[in-house]
Amino acid sequence: MHPPKPWSKTTEPTSYDQIYKFLEQELNECAAYIDDIESDYYDETSASVNIKPKAQTARRSQAVNALIAWSAPLNELRNARLLSDLRNGKTVRDLLNEARTGNFGDSISDESVNLMKRIMEKTTDQLQSKMLVLTNKLHECTNLMEQYFLSFYDIENIQEVVQKRKNDRPPDEYVETAYTYEKSRWTHIFQVNKSLKIVSEMQQRIEDQKGIFISSLSKECQELAVRCDCTSLSYIFALPECYIEARRAVAALRTWLNEDTKYTSFIQTSLKVLDDKYVNAKKDFEFGKAHLSHVEHRIDAFQLQLSKTEQENEINTKKLEELEERLDVKEREYLSKRLTSEVYEDQLKKMLQQAEESNDGVDNRLSIERFQQEIKQFSRELPKLKSQMETVKGRIDFFKQRKQELATMRTENKRLQQEVQAALEEKILKENEFNRVISCRDIMRNIFRCRSTNDLPQKIFYSLPLRSKRVGETNNDDLAKAMRLASNNIGRDWTRLYWELPFYPARGQEEISKDIEYIDDKYHRGDVFQAQATDALNKWRRLHTRAVLDDLVQALRKARRLDIVHTIERRILKPKHSITDIHEDIDPRKKEIDDLNRKLNHLFDKIKSGSIVTHETYAYSTIGIAPLRPVRRHRPLVKH
């Protein structure tokens, strides 16, 4: 079985492993390339200086050995012209010109001049060619990783957060893996772009009048300059600074590559944790829901009983008032009769004493009998009244007891309402936690599904929007418009057009044939030719890193579809040219007219203000000088 062919960025990948292997190889090549050009910078230049290394220099790095060897001759050359620092290329070139013309005499050696010359040549050569190749390769790796290494988790204002222009909002603990990767992903992109920007701008910095300052370089370069006594030779650290920043970019890309390889497994681990959290959160939510239902059922039954008691209390309140009135009447009646009975008993005793003392007591006997009858009547009535009073008091005590029970029930009702509120709040909290776990689990499941799908790289290759390769280009630029016109009108000739399209990097006939076969088999329904043509042109624009509108027009001419060429010229090229011509015709004339109007307005303001008092005033125009009528200053009217 033959091993799979290595993947390149000009073909659609079928798995992440292909991308990982390709990028690892590219980064290894970049690292080896940096080592090679750094070795070339230090080795050749240091070879021209005949300084015997000490025993300890064998253990020092190549850069330290070379810079220590350069320090004395270069400082000698700098001191010959009384320069405080060699900061830019112009100073170095002037210094070499003076040395070539012999202005220094014999104060400096030829080895110093040759060393400075070789350093300048190496610096110019690497910054103009080799560093450009390196930065382009690192930019391609960054763009490729930025396209495929997606977290599928959005963070609001992520770029401003990474650059610390906005505060970082803490993520949900359950999606922290995706959040951390997305943030580190943008951190790596920011670091790589920052380093590559420094490398790209180094050529301009060394040619600037201010040049390079040691304090503006990296900490590594500053320490190296102090260690090697080269603090006044900042020019020679232009390339070392580029090496350091390029290695930082490679290290950031390696870290990003390693993090992406672990990201899917991290997502899978987070998903397992979330599944366990989901089960527990669901149990808690169901328990809180059941507890709330139970408490609500209890309070419903209790409130029904309380309602009946309230209604009963309303009736009992009226009866209680009536009973209290009756009791008051009975007590008064009982008290009156009891007192009357006691008075009668006292009176009877007195009358009985008088009857014993006196023999003639016919009238007394009648009175005694009457009193005795009244007392007997009271003795029969008073127990009945007392019994009635006790009965009324018992009814009153019962009603008061029911009223006290009602107050207790009201207190219990308040407690149950508080219990219901607490159960409701607990249920809401558990429901929110449950919903949060569900939402996070859905996010992580979607991320895991996206990351673990075998055809995801192909989907990203075809589905993501095309990235602009030139400043000012968008998805609605002239090339995109022309591609849409060609797709709508090409029909079955899209295969012939695809064969005529140019590719950079070049694609062989076998690869182009496979592209056509793949696109041809992909579509079977709808407007097949238009869909196939759209897919083919999008693929061409992805694979052709130098795609421009003229490439498409020339391919259409070779495919003998002049009708589409004429449509593109009529709808895209001619309106663009006409707008340009109009601007070229109108802009100069408009500027001249505006300038003339400004001068005339300024002149008229002077005339109105009276600062010009001549009898005749002239105004400039495009056709010459035109005299104006004399301007007379009117005296103000004076009242006599």
Side-chain angles (χ1 to χ4, degrees):
M1 186 174 181
H2 298 287
K5 294 183 179 180
W7 175 74
S8 65
K9 65 180 182 298
T10 58
T11 58
E12 62 273 19
T14 57
S15 68
Y16 272 105
D17 289 338
Q18 288 183 330
I19 305 175
Y20 293 152
K21 292 178 181 178
F22 173 78
L23 286 170
E24 188 174 359
Q25 181 181 355
E26 291 288 303
L27 293 178
N28 289 336
E29 291 178 1
C30 289
Y33 188 76
I34 296 171
D35 293 338
D36 291 341
I37 59 178
E38 184 180 26
S39 177
D40 178 55
Y41 177 63
Y42 288 123
D43 283 348
E44 280 196 33
T45 51
S46 60
S48 62
V49 183
N50 298 323
I51 298 178
K52 294 182 180 180
K54 299 179 182 179
Q56 61 179 0
T57 58
R59 297 189 298 268
R60 293 179 179 176
S61 65
Q62 180 187 26
V64 174
N65 292 334
L67 291 172
I68 290 176
W70 298 352
S71 175
L74 293 182
N75 280 313
E76 177 188 357
L77 188 63
R78 176 183 60 80
N79 292 328
R81 199 184 174 194
L82 302 178
L83 294 174
S84 60
D85 193 359
L86 295 180
R87 295 176 181 171
N88 56 27
K90 183 178 182 302
T91 303
V92 173
R93 286 191 294 270
D94 292 344
L95 188 64
L96 293 176
N97 288 334
E98 291 183 9
R100 187 174 61 252
T101 55
N103 293 340
F104 294 134
D106 296 333
S107 59
I108 59 173
S109 62
D110 293 338
E111 288 81 4
S112 300
V113 176
N114 292 334
L115 175 61
M116 188 72 255
K117 183 178 179 181
R118 291 190 178 187
I119 291 175
M120 184 187 71
E121 291 175 352
K122 286 295 179 183
T123 302
T124 304
D125 176 61
Q126 290 196 14
L127 288 179
Q128 292 182 354
S129 60
K130 295 180 180 180
M131 284 298 168
L132 186 61
V133 173
L134 178 62
T135 54
N136 288 339
K137 200 165 190 177
L138 289 175
H139 271 303
E140 289 177 357
C141 290
T142 305
N143 293 335
L144 192 65
M145 295 171 72
E146 188 177 356
Q147 179 179 359
Y148 287 102
F149 293 175
L150 306 174
S151 69
F152 299 97
Y153 182 80
D154 294 330
I155 301 177
E156 187 177 0
N157 301 318
I158 178 62
Q159 298 188 36
E160 296 181 352
V161 168
V162 170
Q163 298 177 13
K164 297 181 179 180
R165 291 183 292 180
K166 279 196 174 183
N167 294 331
D168 191 6
R169 294 183 179 179
D172 195 299
E173 57 179 328
Y174 302 130
V175 294
E176 189 172 358
T177 300
Y179 176 90
T180 303
Y181 175 72
E182 175 67 7
K183 187 177 177 181
S184 65
R185 173 178 175 269
W186 280 98
T187 303
H188 297 323
I189 294 173
F190 178 72
Q191 177 60 48
V192 172
N193 291 335
K194 180 181 177 182
S195 297
L196 294 183
K197 183 180 179 182
I198 293 174
V199 175
S200 301
E201 292 177 351
M202 188 57 70
Q203 175 66 28
Q204 182 180 357
R205 287 178 64 184
I206 64 172
E207 296 299 332
D208 190 74
Q209 185 177 0
K210 295 180 180 179
I212 302 175
F213 291 88
I214 288 292
S215 59
S216 66
L217 298 178
S218 61
K219 184 179 179 181
E220 294 84 349
C221 277
Q222 293 181 30
E223 293 176 352
L224 192 62
V226 172
R227 183 180 181 183
C228 301
D229 192 22
C230 296
T231 54
S232 299
L233 304 170
S234 55
Y235 175 82
I236 68 174
F237 288 96
L239 287 179
E241 178 76 359
C242 293
Y243 303 147
I244 291 171
E245 293 298 335
R247 286 195 175 97
R248 283 180 181 171
V250 172
L253 292 177
R254 284 189 189 279
T255 305
W256 185 9
L257 181 62
N258 294 331
E259 289 178 354
D260 193 84
T261 56
K262 299 176 182 177
Y263 181 54
T264 302
S265 61
F266 289 160
I267 292 296
Q268 191 172 6
T269 304
S270 300
L271 192 56
K272 289 180 181 179
V273 174
L274 270 173
D275 287 336
D276 296 337
K277 290 280 186 181
Y278 171 80
V279 174
N280 296 331
K282 186 176 182 181
K283 287 181 181 179
D284 292 341
F285 171 63
E286 294 294 338
F287 176 78
K289 189 177 178 182
H291 178 63
L292 177 63
S293 178
H294 176 68
V295 175
E296 287 178 342
H297 178 72
R298 281 175 53 198
I299 196 173
D300 289 341
F302 189 82
Q303 284 181 347
L304 180 61
Q305 184 180 359
L306 178 63
S307 178
K308 291 180 180 180
T309 307
E310 291 279 3
Q311 294 175 0
E312 181 184 350
N313 180 66
E314 291 179 1
I315 299 173
N316 291 342
T317 303
K318 296 179 181 179
K319 290 183 179 181
L320 180 62
E321 293 176 357
E322 294 176 358
L323 288 174
E324 287 176 345
E325 291 178 0
R326 285 177 60 187
L327 179 62
D328 185 54
V329 172
K330 292 290 183 183
E331 284 179 344
R332 290 179 183 179
E333 185 180 357
Y334 176 79
L335 182 60
S336 176
K337 288 184 178 183
R338 187 169 63 81
L339 291 175
T340 304
S341 176
E342 291 176 355
V343 171
Y344 282 0
E345 287 178 355
D346 291 339
Q347 189 68 29
L348 180 60
K349 288 179 181 179
K350 292 179 180 180
M351 291 178 70
L352 288 174
Q353 288 179 357
Q354 290 177 2
E356 289 179 356
E357 294 175 357
S358 175
N359 293 324
D360 188 9
V362 177
D363 294 333
N364 287 337
R365 282 196 304 271
L366 294 173
S367 298
I368 289 171
E369 290 177 357
R370 188 170 62 250
F371 275 111
Q372 287 177 344
Q373 290 176 357
E374 290 290 337
I375 289 172
K376 287 181 180 179
Q377 182 67 27
F378 283 140
S379 63
R380 288 192 298 267
E381 291 179 356
L382 285 175
K384 290 181 180 178
L385 284 173
K386 191 172 183 179
S387 175
Q388 290 175 359
M389 287 170 56
E390 294 296 331
T391 303
V392 173
K393 285 182 179 179
R395 295 289 302 278
I396 290 174
D397 291 339
F398 172 76
F399 288 148
K400 287 183 178 179
Q401 183 181 359
R402 294 294 292 173
K403 189 174 183 180
Q404 186 64 32
E405 291 177 357
L406 177 61
T408 305
M409 291 180 69
R410 286 173 177 170
T411 304
E412 181 66 14
N413 182 58
K414 290 181 179 179
R415 187 189 68 79
L416 286 175
Q417 286 180 345
Q418 293 176 354
E419 186 177 351
V420 169
Q421 184 65 26
L424 178 61
E425 292 176 357
E426 184 180 3
K427 179 251 182 184
I428 291 174
L429 289 175
K430 291 180 178 179
E431 185 179 10
N432 291 338
E433 176 67 14
F434 181 55
N435 291 332
R436 188 163 67 96
V437 171
I438 291 176
S439 175
C440 294
R441 189 179 70 157
D442 292 340
I443 292 173
M444 301 304 283
R445 277 184 171 178
N446 179 60
I447 293 174
F448 179 73
R449 185 167 51 251
C450 291
R451 296 285 301 190
S452 59
T453 304
N454 291 331
D455 60 344
L456 174 67
Q458 287 188 355
K459 289 181 179 179
I460 295 176
F461 185 84
Y462 284 107
S463 301
L464 289 185
L466 289 169
R467 291 192 175 276
S468 174
K469 299 181 180 65
R470 294 173 179 80
V471 178
E473 287 187 357
T474 63
N475 289 334
N476 198 32
D477 57 4
D478 293 341
L479 178 56
K481 294 176 182 178
M483 287 167 59
R484 287 195 290 270
L485 286 175
S487 301
N488 295 335
N489 298 282
I490 193 68
R492 66 176 68 250
D493 291 336
W494 69 269
T495 55
R496 186 167 42 171
L497 173 63
Y498 196 76
W499 279 107
E500 300 296 340
L501 288 169
F503 286 94
Y504 183 84
R507 286 174 73 78
Q509 293 186 354
E510 183 179 356
E511 292 176 333
I512 294 176
S513 179
K514 287 182 180 180
D515 294 343
I516 294 174
E517 183 179 355
Y518 173 79
I519 296 172
D520 192 26
D521 295 339
K522 186 177 178 181
Y523 299 94
H524 302 284
R525 295 181 181 179
D527 193 349
V528 177
F529 295 137
Q530 182 178 350
Q532 290 172 339
T534 301
D535 199 346
L537 289 176
N538 286 334
K539 188 180 184 71
W540 167 72
R541 191 172 185 181
R542 288 183 185 279
L543 301 181
H544 184 31
T545 59
R546 300 177 180 178
V548 292
L549 177 58
D550 188 60
D551 293 339
L552 178 60
V553 172
Q554 296 301 325
L556 287 169
R557 292 182 184 276
K558 293 179 181 178
R560 299 179 182 177
R561 290 305 303 265
L562 299 180
D563 55 329
I564 302 177
V565 174
H566 294 157
T567 303
I568 293 173
E569 290 177 349
R570 185 176 69 254
R571 296 187 182 181
I572 298 175
L573 297 179
K574 286 187 177 179
K576 187 175 181 180
H577 290 318
S578 61
I579 292 173
T580 305
D581 295 340
I582 290 172
H583 280 294
E584 290 177 354
D585 292 341
I586 291 178
D587 286 350
R589 182 65 178 174
K590 184 175 183 301
K591 182 179 180 182
E592 182 182 352
I593 293 173
D594 291 341
D595 187 50
L596 178 62
N597 287 333
R598 183 179 56 80
K599 291 180 179 179
L600 288 174
N601 290 332
H602 184 64
L603 180 63
F604 291 150
D605 289 338
K606 286 186 175 181
I607 294 173
K608 290 180 181 179
S609 63
S611 59
I612 297 178
V613 295
T614 55
H615 293 287
E616 288 192 359
T617 305
Y618 295 90
Y620 291 95
S621 68
T622 55
I623 58 175
I625 299 177
L628 296 178
R629 293 182 180 180
V631 177
R632 298 178 181 178
R633 298 182 63 182
H634 299 282
R635 295 181 180 179
L637 297 176
V638 180
K639 293 183 179 180
H640 297 284

